[in-house]
Amino acid sequence: MALSYLRSSSSSSANLKLLSSAVSIRRPISTDTTPITVETSVPFTAHQCEAPSRSVETSSSELLNFFRNMALMRRMEIAADSLYKAKLIRGFCHLYDGQEAVASGMEAAITKKDCIITAYRDHCIFMGRGGTLLEVFAELMGRRAGCSKGKGGSMHCYKKDSNFYGGHGIVGAQVPLGCGLAFAQKYSKDETVTFALYGDGAANQGQLFEALNISALWDLPAILVCENNHYGMGTAEWRASKSPAYYKRGDYAPGLKVDGMDVLAVKQACKFAKEHALKNGPIILEMDTYRYHGHSMSDPGSTYRTRDEISGVRQERDPIERVRKLILSHDLATEKELKDIEKEMRKEVDDAIAQAKESPMPEPSELFTNVYAKGLGVESFGADRKEVRATLP
Amino acid sequence: MAAIFHGVGAAASLSLSPSNSFDSNKSVFSPRRSFSARKGASFAVVRSEGTVNLNLKGRRAQQLISNAVATTADSIDASSSSKPGHELLLFEALQEGLEEEMERDPRVCVMGEDVGHYGGSYKVTKELAKKFGDLRVLDTPIAENSFTGMGIGAAMTGLRPVVEGMNMGFLLLAFNQISNNCGMLHYTSGGQFTIPIVIRGPGGVGRQLGAEHSQRLESYFQSIPGIQMVACSTPYNAKGLMKAAIRSENPVILFEHVLLYNLKERIPDEDYICNLEEAEMVRPGEHVTILTYSRMRYHVMQAAKTLVNKGYDPEVIDIRSLKPFDLYTIGNSVKKTHRVLIVEECMRTGGIGASLTAAITENFNDYLDAPIVCLSSQDVPTPYAGTLEEVTVVQPAQIVTAVEQLCK
């Protein structure tokens, strides 16, 4: 197998690999965990705290996982785009392509016991939390196999068993919920944290500052993550916020500005934030990221920004390309292998879509299920119910 | 009278109930059982500290007309036990219910403005912070939107917060959280999350509190799918509804009334709850069904006294459950009397009475001999001047006139 060109690398393990690869035909790429140290693209900017180091420890298997996951997310979002245009997905559909590094990097730094809550751009974060493609596509198409049984839609993906709390349509309302999750974690002494994600548009919501105030007062392990993609639907950040330094907006709460297109920087920042929040209370992370699509499928995305800007970011800062370059430069896989992974992801997505299309719509009786939880004497009766007295548990 | 109760509580021996983990820091209200994590079903008979009481007058079984003045009330309730209980005021009943539930289940916590160190602006959470600590009785800053949201977020993980709005009107600021997140999350997540939260607070027209502090939010919240609404009116049902609301897996909004906090009643000693969807038969009768809730119950009972003297026999039902309506009890009553009068404190437009009228008309139209009459408050902001405020709400004289008209 022809080797891709080698760049001089700082770690000695790469040299070892160079030797070994000259000898072996195929080395196991995805299970190698020898540490590789990489520098983030830009240093972190800190507010009221010490910035973490720029050097991030990673490994071959982790980098390949990043590539695989981000490629899957990218494929999924692009497929959702075509499904929407084919009118199989209706209503609102907010796509996450361009921002995959935030979802992947965060997952690498935390466990499934930590909670994540986000706004409506939630498909990829749901995937990161362990959701399946079928669940996403079925939910988007309103089928029974969807994660919320087809009753939630694009903006309401939830996964309770891996502590993913959604999926919320009202801008900013998820942040107090997220602080409530952090409160519950502190109450139950779990030693876990909550990541409450919001956008640059939501950063101007009052309830955010209210919740931050309460979290700081009660020392809650809440991490507020601003996914700053520089546009609140059609309004650029300089037109919406007097102070676009969202990581500083917390005032008394420490903040960190992170390059959100660099998955390793995101991972480092989230790890740092988790340790910080468990000791010192809330912290704000600002992820400097970008979305290629418009705000939602009904927004072309080019009336408030130029196509040159979009393609410029795609060329210079695309998160998947960055990881690809990293993998190739450290000779962890060949171009062809990476292309094969992408093809594999494409096939997975196509299979899932085909399966989701087969899935049936919810039954009409499902309209009335799950409005109330059945519990202590709770039955919604019509005019002719049998008499039931409440029973103690 | 409240002082006597507290005195008795303090004097009574704290060793009445065996408690292994008795903390000397705890307050006058002795724990009725040792504080333990809730492990499955257990039904315990609860002893109160005031059992050695002065005059043990039992409940009169079928007392027909209660004294409708707001300071004292004896309420009949067929389901209460005939054992002598203990007397207390409505806010103390709420506190007792809350305290018992907090002891029983460590996941119950209280959040609100001034509920902790201050003891609650209406003393419902008095002494609880001393007993349970700052992590279970939480003083929040004045940020209704976010602390209601936080309560809902905590409920999503399985905690059972009781969120207090200092006045129900302030919860308008949290409307988004209550409507979208509290009510709808169980549905939009396909049943994954339940929100066992209780949102409570005093509302209603008080004594010259002004327009913004005299709001009746039951009419605003009634369309939100997924929540339950109950209104308490006596110490007995206040304690029962509070306990049932905390134990319910659904979000429950418990409406209290500012003027009813000092009602006194004798309630049973043992553990009891009130069914959340059940209405209460206050006074059985034959001629006309009067449906009411919260403070208007007392205006109706006062009018009922006059009506009985005039020879009418009204059936008074305290509907208690504002969402969903207890159409079973109401339906049976309508089938018996064929005339309905609704007396409520909500405004005319879009209030509980309006929905109830629609519900009864849809379901029981064939049984009605006359159109439903609904007496509600005027569609005006509540004025400050006493005379004007009186005219804003329904008064007993109007109720008497309406019944006379209806029964012609």
Side-chain angles (χ1 to χ4, degrees):
Chain A
M1 208 63 231
L3 295 170
S4 54
Y5 75 102
L6 301 165
R7 274 212 209 116
S8 63
S9 125
S10 47
S11 86
S12 54
S13 56
N15 291 330
L16 255 155
K17 268 205 226 74
L18 168 60
L19 280 169
S20 64
S21 50
V23 180
S24 65
I25 301 171
R26 192 171 175 78
R27 62 228 173 295
I29 49 173
S30 48
T31 54
D32 190 351
T33 50
T34 48
I36 306 172
T37 315
V38 185
E39 289 252 308
T40 63
S41 56
V42 288
F44 299 104
T45 335
H47 167 75
Q48 304 254 23
C49 66
E50 286 263 327
S53 134
R54 251 181 102 172
S55 311
V56 187
E57 279 238 335
T58 179
S59 71
S60 158
S61 67
E62 189 174 61
L63 284 172
L64 278 148
N65 265 337
F66 282 149
F67 184 83
R68 180 182 226 100
N69 291 335
M70 293 202 286
L72 185 62
M73 291 174 187
R74 179 68 61 93
R75 260 295 107 217
M76 174 178 77
E77 297 294 72
I78 295 181
D81 179 309
S82 339
L83 285 175
Y84 192 90
K85 292 186 173 133
K87 290 208 195 297
L88 280 163
I89 301 177
R90 315 305 300 277
F92 292 122
C93 191
H94 305 86
L95 299 177
Y96 201 71
D97 55 327
Q99 299 182 213
E100 299 91 354
V102 176
S104 301
M106 191 179 288
E107 282 300 326
I110 61 179
T111 68
K112 289 290 186 287
K113 289 217 164 31
D114 296 304
C115 302
I116 298 186
I117 189 170
T118 182
Y120 40 78
R121 219 176 283 278
D122 56 345
H123 311 155
C124 296
I125 305 202
F126 175 79
M127 291 296 297
R129 286 264 97 179
T132 64
L133 282 171
L134 174 63
E135 281 177 328
V136 175
F137 284 119
E139 186 61 36
L140 289 176
M141 294 198 262
R143 308 298 171 104
R144 212 184 299 172
C147 51
S148 304
K149 306 203 186 122
K151 299 204 282 198
S154 159
M155 299 189 282
H156 299 283
C157 294
Y158 303 91
K159 198 162 167 62
K160 183 167 189 190
D161 49 9
S162 37
N163 286 315
F164 177 52
Y165 288 86
H168 294 274
I170 303 294
V171 169
Q174 75 276 13
V175 179
L177 287 184
C179 295
L181 298 173
F183 169 71
Q185 286 171 327
K186 178 167 179 154
Y187 193 95
S188 319
K189 302 190 172 41
D190 276 347
E191 297 293 310
T192 50
V193 294
T194 299
F195 286 83
L197 279 65
Y198 59 98
D200 46 300
N204 295 314
Q205 273 271 318
Q207 48 190 326
L208 212 135
F209 297 98
E210 290 178 20
L212 187 62
N213 179 38
I214 300 181
S215 307
L217 275 174
W218 296 349
D219 254 330
L220 302 182
I223 300 165
L224 274 62
V225 180
C226 177
E227 291 178 290
N228 183 7
N229 55 24
H230 306 283
Y231 294 94
M233 202 162 90
T235 310
E237 68 176 335
W238 59 270
R239 291 180 63 220
S241 307
K242 188 72 179 170
S243 158
Y246 299 106
Y247 69 107
K248 284 197 193 154
R249 289 277 202 96
D251 186 27
Y252 43 80
L256 198 65
K257 182 163 172 160
V258 187
D259 178 5
M261 305 295 253
D262 180 354
V263 66
L264 293 169
V266 172
K267 173 187 159 195
Q268 180 85 322
C270 291
K271 227 165 77 162
F272 170 77
K274 177 170 175 173
E275 282 160 19
H276 189 280
L278 282 172
K279 281 200 307 272
N280 307 336
I283 178 173
I284 299 185
L285 295 179
E286 181 187 337
M287 303 283 176
D288 186 352
T289 180
Y290 200 84
R291 53 168 164 81
Y292 299 143
H293 268 92
H295 164 75
S296 70
M297 287 306 300
S298 36
D299 171 27
S302 48
T303 53
Y304 46 87
R305 51 187 190 173
T306 60
R307 292 195 195 279
D308 287 339
E309 181 188 304
I310 306 173
S311 48
V313 174
R314 206 188 270 273
Q315 257 181 339
E316 318 261 308
R317 298 175 67 201
D318 185 76
I320 302 182
E321 286 313 307
R322 179 173 272 148
V323 173
R324 190 199 301 267
K325 283 198 196 101
L326 214 52
I327 292 177
L328 293 176
S329 71
H330 285 275
D331 191 37
L332 307 173
T334 62
E335 281 259 5
K336 184 174 180 310
E337 281 164 339
L338 295 180
K339 281 248 173 336
D340 284 342
I341 291 180
E342 284 181 312
K343 279 212 201 82
E344 192 192 323
M345 296 296 106
R346 196 180 196 133
K347 185 170 178 310
E348 267 188 43
V349 165
D350 289 339
D351 286 344
I353 293 180
Q355 210 183 342
K357 280 185 187 163
E358 301 288 307
S359 168
M361 287 281 184
E363 294 283 311
S365 61
E366 285 279 315
L367 180 63
F368 297 105
T369 59
N370 296 133
V371 180
Y372 291 105
K374 293 298 179 193
L376 175 67
V378 173
E379 300 267 335
S380 261
F381 293 113
D384 289 320
R385 63 167 168 81
K386 295 195 285 284
E387 198 179 71
V388 169
R389 291 272 160 184
T391 49
L392 292 171
Chain B
M1 292 303 262
I4 295 177
F5 169 73
H6 282 297
V8 167
S13 161
L14 293 169
S15 59
L16 264 178
S17 52
S19 40
N20 333 341
S21 57
F22 184 73
D23 191 354
S24 56
N25 291 344
K26 290 189 180 158
S27 69
V28 268
F29 298 99
S30 66
R32 292 183 183 88
R33 286 189 276 167
S34 53
F35 180 85
S36 61
R38 177 180 179 218
K39 281 190 178 75
S42 65
F43 176 77
V45 175
V46 190
R47 295 248 136 257
S48 96
E49 57 273 29
T51 43
V52 189
N53 214 333
L54 318 160
N55 34 4
L56 300 168
K57 56 178 184 187
R59 290 183 155 276
R60 274 173 278 165
Q62 279 296 100
Q63 185 183 12
L64 295 185
I65 297 164
S66 65
N67 188 346
V69 180
T71 43
T72 57
D74 276 344
S75 126
I76 48 127
D77 195 322
S79 56
S80 70
S81 88
S82 54
K83 278 194 215 156
H86 56 286
E87 244 188 6
L88 40 51
L89 305 179
L90 197 144
F91 73 87
E92 289 164 347
L94 288 166
Q95 180 188 12
E96 237 182 52
L98 189 48
E99 198 178 336
E100 284 172 17
E101 289 304 304
M102 286 182 79
E103 277 177 7
R104 188 176 166 274
D105 187 347
R107 296 173 300 170
V108 180
C109 52
V110 183
M111 285 188 200
E113 295 159 13
D114 279 328
V115 295
H117 298 184
Y118 189 81
S121 47
Y122 292 94
K123 294 185 282 205
V124 175
T125 52
K126 191 166 173 202
E127 305 288 325
L128 290 185
K130 278 203 208 110
K131 183 170 176 188
F132 294 107
D134 276 345
L135 197 59
R136 290 188 74 190
V137 183
L138 301 140
D139 278 325
T140 62
I142 306 177
E144 284 80 6
N145 198 357
S146 51
F147 73 69
T148 311
M150 285 177 71
I152 295 167
M156 281 169 95
T157 65
L159 284 196
R160 307 182 88 92
V162 176
V163 172
E164 170 173 316
M166 192 182 271
N167 185 297
M168 270 300 190
F170 306 160
L171 290 182
L172 283 174
L173 289 160
F175 205 112
N176 174 51
Q177 297 289 353
I178 296 175
S179 163
N180 290 334
N181 294 333
C182 180
M184 301 199 198
L185 265 174
H186 186 61
Y187 190 85
T188 55
S189 66
Q192 286 180 64
F193 298 111
T194 54
I195 319 282
I197 192 176
V198 177
I199 299 175
R200 50 160 292 267
V205 176
R207 297 245 185 270
Q208 299 190 253
L209 297 178
E212 291 169 347
H213 293 73
S214 313
Q215 308 219 49
R216 289 129 277 172
L217 286 208
E218 49 268 24
S219 51
Y220 300 164
F221 289 146
Q222 63 176 322
S223 321
I224 300 175
I227 58 163
Q228 278 192 273
M229 303 200 306
V230 286
C232 62
S233 48
T234 66
Y236 179 83
N237 62 34
K239 179 175 175 185
L241 290 173
M242 169 74 95
K243 294 179 73 127
I246 293 176
R247 294 187 199 180
S248 166
E249 289 300 317
N250 292 307
V252 179
I253 305 186
L254 172 59
F255 290 92
E256 302 152 13
H257 198 287
V258 277
L259 292 181
L260 296 184
Y261 277 131
N262 288 321
L263 280 179
K264 187 196 290 238
E265 191 186 356
R266 176 171 293 278
I267 65 170
D269 291 331
E270 66 270 10
D271 205 25
Y272 71 92
I273 60 169
C274 291
N275 191 338
L276 285 175
E277 299 97 17
E278 210 176 18
E280 190 179 318
M281 177 70 70
V282 183
R283 180 193 188 282
E286 295 288 325
H287 289 164
V288 58
T289 300
I290 306 184
L291 301 171
T292 180
Y293 66 93
S294 193
R295 182 180 165 227
M296 287 295 119
R297 166 188 175 138
Y298 296 95
H299 281 205
V300 166
M301 292 313 290
Q302 200 170 2
K305 234 165 79 168
T306 317
L307 284 169
V308 167
N309 289 340
K310 291 194 176 186
Y312 294 95
D313 188 18
E315 175 155 296
V316 180
I317 297 182
D318 180 344
I319 60 175
R320 252 171 33 184
S321 169
L322 303 178
K323 184 178 169 86
F325 292 130
D326 180 5
L327 288 177
Y328 181 71
T329 310
I330 296 173
N332 284 345
S333 177
V334 172
K335 289 176 191 173
K336 185 166 61 162
T337 65
H338 310 296
R339 287 168 218 281
V340 180
L341 170 67
I342 302 174
V343 180
E344 55 154 0
E345 207 176 347
C346 272
M347 311 234 204
R348 183 119 202 97
T349 310
I352 297 285
S355 307
L356 192 50
T357 307
I360 298 176
T361 314
E362 260 175 28
N363 290 304
F364 306 115
N365 198 27
D366 293 336
Y367 297 95
L368 290 171
D369 281 348
I372 302 176
V373 177
C374 179
L375 296 177
S376 14
S377 301
Q378 304 302 317
D379 274 326
V380 294
T382 313
Y384 167 71
T387 45
L388 291 181
E389 189 186 61
E390 244 182 58
V391 183
T392 322
V393 291
V394 180
Q395 298 297 333
Q398 291 168 285
I399 303 174
V400 172
T401 320
V403 170
E404 287 174 339
Q405 286 272 351
L406 199 52
C407 290
K408 254 213 247 285

